[in-house]
Amino acid sequence: MVNLEVAQDVVKLFNGRLQALDQPLKFPHKVAFDFGAAGVVAVDGRTGPLVVSEGGGDDADTRATIDLQSFQSLVSGKAAAPALMLKGKLKVKGNIAHLVKLRNVIASEA
């Protein structure tokens, strides 16, 4: 199980999983994952290949607010996004379809 303590850990996770994809993910959007005090991670594909960075999510098309523990459960496959939303642990502003498109990157490698 991956250990996520700060936003920088999420950036490393995303970048590792993006490199493992068979082909580049076409994603002409920007999504920000807001982890509260742990930071913000932006996933931006608006200008070409996906760029994952810490911070910079103010102009995102979609913003997901989630704590790192819940995000860790999501990426490990122990929790599903709809269940986290129903429990109030995942809040989305913007187009939820953008998060669905990223599920192949976020989902467990199992």
Side-chain angles (χ1 to χ4, degrees), residues 36-52:
V40 175
V41 171
V43 180
D44 191 352
R46 295 183 295 189
T47 60
L50 279 178
V51 175
V52 182

Side-chain angles (χ1 to χ4, degrees), residues 7-8 10 13 30 41 52 62 109:
Q8 187 176 17
V10 177
L13 171 83
K30 184 173 184 179
V41 171
V52 182
T62 301
E109 298 170 319

Side-chain angles (χ1 to χ4, degrees), residues 85-105:
M85 290 179 77
L86 287 172
K87 292 178 183 178
K89 294 186 176 193
L90 170 61
K91 296 175 183 157
V92 179
K93 274 189 171 179
N95 191 337
I96 197 164
H98 296 163
L99 295 178
V100 173
K101 179 83 173 177
L102 287 177
R103 75 174 177 239
N104 292 333
V105 178

